[in-house]
Structure formats: C-alpha cells, structure tokens
Amino acid sequence: MTAILTLCACTGASAGEFPKEGTASYTTHYVSMSATPMKMGDRTVAIYESSGITRNDTGEFPFNNMGTRCIGMREASGNDVVNRGSCIDSDPDGDQVFSTYEANSKTGHHIFVGGTGKYQGITGEADYTFQAMKVPEGARPMTLVPHKATWKLP
C-alpha cells in the first residue's frame, strides 16, 4: 500500500532569515517506511510512516533541504481513498514546522499548526498533488509531492 503525505516550503530570504509571511513552491520526495493494513469488510485501513526531503523549487532558503517525517492513516474503499496525518519538517538549523494533512487519491491539503525556532507560531496552508514513482523490485514505495504554500508568523 503506497503512503502519501506532505509538508511546506517558502522563498525569498537568505539563510537564517524567515519572512513574516509569504508563498512558496516546493517538492517533497517521500519513501514509505512502514504500513500496517487492516481489512474492515470492503474497506482497508493502514497506519503508515513516511520520511523524505523537501526541496524548494528555486533551491533557496527557507524550506529547502528539510528532513520530513509523517505518520498517518489511509482508508480505502473501492476508488475512495482518504489519508489523514501529521508531519514534522526539520531545517538544517534544527528548527521545525508542524502540520496536519488530509488527502484523497490525487490531491491534499496541509495546515501549518506551529513550529520551533524561526517557525514559532507559524500558520498557513499548502495544497499539494502527488505522484507514485515506479521503483525497482523490492524497493519501498516512493512518492513525489509538489506543494503550493502560504504562511504567516505572529
């Protein structure tokens, strides 16, 4: 079962600075680490964990080269799929962004619910899509997740 998730990113400042508000495009590259499925009649539910790295589409700070970890639950019934979960993204300084998300089989929405360091008090959201990647036999599922984010700090 492929796990799919997300995170956030931004542009416009030099390393160490973080703008009080802004928009950004970034892509997260996820590898599914584990999934525990459970059959419930015609439904399949799975708890999963994914991790990866976020790359700002411009290659600039902030939200570039962030490590990402997400834990979620996927519920599938026929063609109806819902993913819900939470993510932590850590930048090279160790500061973190916290988010929750909900997604269907092709698109999703993150809500920024807080952070540490330069991201303390962050709010905002990121819409995203995802694409399952073809992987070599025996490899863990991989997903590309492009985001469009907006944020504000207090």
Side-chain angles (χ1 to χ4, degrees):
M1 193 169 279
T2 303
I4 302 160
L5 306 164
T6 94
L7 149 54
C8 115
C10 346
T11 64
S14 61
E17 297 175 26
F18 190 76
K20 289 284 190 186
E21 62 183 65
T23 63
S25 296
Y26 61 94
T27 301
T28 305
H29 306 256
Y30 286 102
V31 176
S32 297
M33 301 308 292
S34 62
T36 306
M38 177 175 73
K39 286 294 285 173
M40 296 173 58
D42 65 345
R43 295 183 164 324
T44 301
V45 176
I47 303 298
Y48 59 86
E49 181 173 352
S50 293
S51 62
I53 188 166
T54 295
R55 302 278 191 184
N56 185 302
D57 291 350
T58 67
E60 298 176 5
F61 178 87
F63 289 103
N64 193 37
N65 295 330
M66 293 184 85
T68 301
R69 179 181 182 215
C70 300
I71 295 176
M73 184 178 95
R74 179 179 196 262
E75 183 175 352
S77 177
N79 290 331
D80 294 329
V81 177
V82 176
N83 288 290
R84 291 182 182 92
S86 300
C87 299
I88 297 175
D89 303 297
S90 298
D91 73 11
D93 295 330
D95 296 337
Q96 298 179 327
V97 174
F98 310 134
S99 65
T100 61
Y101 65 90
E102 183 168 326
N104 60 31
S105 61
K106 294 290 180 190
T107 64
H109 186 78
H110 268 272
I111 297 177
F112 304 125
V113 297
T116 64
K118 64 181 91 46
Y119 311 110
Q120 184 76 36
I122 193 169
T123 60
E125 57 193 13
D127 289 323
Y128 60 93
T129 59
F130 43 85
Q131 174 186 354
M133 303 302 298
K134 296 255 183 216
V135 298
E137 184 177 332
R140 295 179 190 268
M142 297 176 195
T143 309
L144 286 178
V145 184
H147 296 77
K148 300 283 185 202
T150 60
W151 77 91
K152 269 190 173 177
L153 289 171

